[in-house]
Amino acid sequence: MKEKYCFRQATKEELGEIFALILSRMAWMDSVGIQQWNATKYDQRYPMDYYEMRQKQGELFVMRESEDGKLLCIGGLLREDERWPESASALYLHHFASDPAHKGMGSIFLEMAEAYTAQQGMEYMRPDSAIGNEKLENYYTSRGYVPAGECKDGAYEGILRQKKLR
């Protein structure tokens, strides 16, 4: 099934489409009553030039449908994360967003990102999730991510999570 999808580093030409997916996910949060990116002005905190910088550093990834090239999911796999009190052999998942019209793509992206992280010789993959977003908490827990602390970043309060890959 994974042959149906292409997971790779993002290109400069994809930045507009990537930012549009972030905005689409924010609108979706508004429509379903989730207070997260939409409530913290995520698009202002992480404007287009931020994604351009991450892309140049090789830390921005896309997953596209192999057949027609449709953008299905994005995420940043950062080498460092100041929210974590200690560094580890890890990549830190941020800006994880899937096309709301295509259910299940986040899980496939997550599997591919974990495989990439392990291939890079990293021991852990580390996302975080907003405190109080039980659906996202359950999502990560069901995929083997365990709580490893809490963080605060401006208005954002989150649960640090990690999964041992090797």
Side-chain angles (χ1 to χ4, degrees), residues 1 5 16 25-26 30-31 38 46 52-53 62 73 79 82 88 102 107 111 124 132 140 146 148 153 156 161:
M1 179 159 141
Y5 308 104
R25 186 47 87 166
M26 290 173 66
D30 281 336
S31 73
N38 51 342
Y46 301 105
E52 183 176 326
M53 182 253 318
V62 297
C73 198
R79 293 175 200 91
E82 60 191 33
H102 293 83
S107 295
E111 287 176 27
Y124 295 97
Y140 282 126
V146 296
D153 188 3
Y156 176 76
R161 300 177 174 283

Side-chain angles (χ1 to χ4, degrees), residues 21-141:
L21 181 55
I22 294 287
L23 296 176
S24 171
R25 186 47 87 166
M26 290 173 66
W28 174 84
M29 288 175 185
D30 281 336
S31 73
V32 297
I34 293 174
Q35 295 296 304
Q36 196 166 320
W37 290 358
N38 51 342
T40 60
K41 299 183 179 3
Y42 198 82
D43 57 330
Q44 293 173 26
R45 181 169 168 109
Y46 301 105
M48 177 69 92
D49 60 347
Y50 170 85
Y51 295 97
E52 183 176 326
M53 182 253 318
R54 289 293 176 203
Q55 184 274 324
K56 284 179 182 174
Q57 293 177 342
E59 295 180 325
L60 189 59
F61 289 78
V62 297
M63 185 181 80
R64 292 186 172 276
E65 200 164 58
S66 294
E67 191 172 304
D68 67 7
K70 175 152 182 59
L71 180 63
L72 300 170
C73 198
I74 63 162
L77 293 173
L78 285 54
R79 293 175 200 91
E80 297 176 356
D81 188 340
E82 60 191 33
R83 293 177 181 171
W84 285 79
E86 86 294 332
S87 62
S89 173
L91 289 180
Y92 301 86
L93 178 65
H94 286 280
H95 321 298
F96 181 35
S98 61
D99 182 339
H102 293 83
K103 301 284 185 212
M105 295 301 105
S107 295
I108 295 168
F109 180 95
L110 199 57
E111 287 176 27
M112 293 177 158
E114 289 168 0
Y116 173 83
T117 300
Q119 289 169 355
Q120 299 303 302
M122 302 296 176
E123 190 173 355
Y124 295 97
M125 192 153 104
R126 291 178 157 180
D128 57 79
S129 61
I131 291 174
N133 185 337
E134 289 183 32
K135 187 172 182 178
L136 191 54
E137 289 176 26
N138 292 336
Y139 175 82
Y140 282 126
T141 299

